[in-house]
Amino acid sequence: MCTFVPAQADSLHSAQPHPSPVTRQTHTALPHGHGAAHSQPQASRSSPYLTPDTQPDPTQYLPPPPQPGSLRHQTDEKAFAVTRGWKNDARWALAASDAKLQLPDLLNSFSCAAGFVIDAARTPHLIALLRNMGNTEVPDMWKGKDYWRRTRPFVGTDNAICTEEERADIAKTGAYPSGHTMLGWSLALVLTELLPDRSTAILQRGRVFGESRIVCGVHWESDVQEGYLAGAAEVAAMHGSAAFRADMDAARAELAALRATAPKPDTKQCEIEHEAAIHSPL
């Protein structure tokens, strides 16, 4: 279990002043290929984009999680039960892949939607943007989780989850709202701005990324639904930051240059993601 990790850590979730099971596997260095280690943009900052006065408070704008016995909680329970039957299929494997928040993996998750391989080693400005977004968003995520302390759906059961190696650690953290969903949806919104001609595919992938947490069995459906809202709130607030807007401009130019020469994503993987979008657990 880890405490605060500087902005140079290669994971969005690792930019958090709070212990988390996912940080055990995310403290890798940014890939050194293509000179990435020597081309870090000057815009890269370790400070968040927002201040205490501009930081949205999820404990105030999100509704409380559904109470046991309520209609919403019954819907949550049904989604968890149904998706336990998806173990070992392609959608389960995609959920396990989507659980990885290392930045190279995260960008690769959106490569099919972008229409080209988003190589972390060739996008230092985008990496800097995402690191600073993580520094901004993740503390708010933990504020919500620690406020509500909602028990995760698999706790107290022997039902499988797609990240069994993290089962004991994840069980100790709150479920509401879903942090993976928040981060995935905020990335989808940012990439939609940077690549507007790919907006539909990118937003669809952002939705599927959140749904993976339901399929994985580590979040209730309502955790994910409010995770989308949390991600949207964070991105909306960050647009008030001149530093965020400047980093967006740099990342936009970088992606425009990259897509001219980047390889196409794996066709089979894109088909799996497309099937996941068609067969939503919601």
Side-chain angles (χ1 to χ4, degrees):
M1 302 293 282
C2 304
T3 54
F4 180 76
V5 178
Q8 298 306 312
D10 197 19
S11 165
L12 288 187
H13 238 317
S14 61
Q16 56 187 316
H18 194 292
S20 170
V22 296
T23 58
R24 293 187 295 109
Q25 62 172 350
T26 56
H27 295 168
T28 57
L30 183 67
H32 286 63
H34 304 282
H38 303 290
S39 58
Q40 284 298 305
Q42 294 299 313
S44 181
R45 288 170 297 275
S46 60
S47 58
Y49 288 120
L50 300 177
T51 68
D53 290 338
T54 59
Q55 202 91 11
D57 184 349
T59 69
Q60 300 301 309
Y61 70 78
L62 291 182
Q67 293 297 309
S70 67
L71 288 177
R72 279 191 81 200
H73 195 263
Q74 290 175 26
T75 300
D76 282 347
E77 292 180 317
K78 181 178 179 181
F80 176 68
V82 168
T83 52
R84 292 317 85 211
W86 295 6
K87 182 181 178 182
N88 297 326
D89 65 12
R91 185 63 184 91
W92 185 271
L94 179 61
S97 178
D98 284 349
K100 302 174 183 177
L101 290 182
Q102 297 97 330
L103 290 176
D105 291 321
L106 189 60
L107 290 178
N108 188 60
S109 294
F110 281 84
S111 289
C112 287
F116 62 95
V117 174
I118 307 176
D119 185 350
R122 299 177 63 188
T123 52
H125 286 283
L126 180 59
I127 290 295
L129 171 69
L130 296 181
R131 284 172 173 158
N132 287 310
M133 285 175 61
N135 284 332
T136 304
E137 297 179 81
V138 172
D140 291 341
M141 174 198 77
W142 282 116
K143 185 173 185 178
K145 286 179 178 291
D146 290 343
Y147 182 77
W148 282 295
R149 298 296 300 175
R150 190 184 194 190
T151 302
R152 294 179 184 266
F154 66 87
V155 173
T157 79
D158 59 0
N159 286 294
I161 63 173
C162 77
T163 52
E164 286 291 345
E165 69 280 4
E166 297 175 350
R167 187 182 187 98
D169 288 334
I170 296 176
K172 300 173 185 177
T173 62
Y176 186 90
S178 166
H180 277 70
T181 303
M182 177 193 74
L183 295 169
W185 188 244
S186 63
L187 174 57
L189 294 177
V190 162
L191 288 177
T192 293
E193 285 197 56
L194 301 180
L195 302 167
D197 59 308
R198 302 293 300 179
S199 60
T200 297
I202 290 169
L203 292 170
Q204 183 185 73
R205 184 63 177 102
R207 188 252 298 173
V208 169
F209 193 88
E211 290 174 351
S212 284
R213 305 308 284 164
I214 301 170
V215 175
C216 190
V218 295
H219 278 289
W220 302 104
E221 178 179 311
S222 54
D223 302 337
V224 168
Q225 290 172 330
E226 302 309 330
Y228 295 131
L229 179 55
E234 294 289 332
V235 172
M238 282 187 281
H239 272 87
S241 164
F244 174 76
R245 297 193 301 271
D247 287 353
M248 286 283 286
D249 288 342
R252 182 180 294 108
E254 186 174 68
L255 285 177
L258 175 64
R259 73 188 303 181
T261 59
K264 295 295 183 182
D266 180 72
T267 300
K268 183 176 181 180
Q269 180 61 31
C270 294
E271 291 174 353
I272 292 172
E273 293 176 14
H274 179 68
E275 284 297 310
I278 295 174
H279 301 99
S280 170
L282 298 179

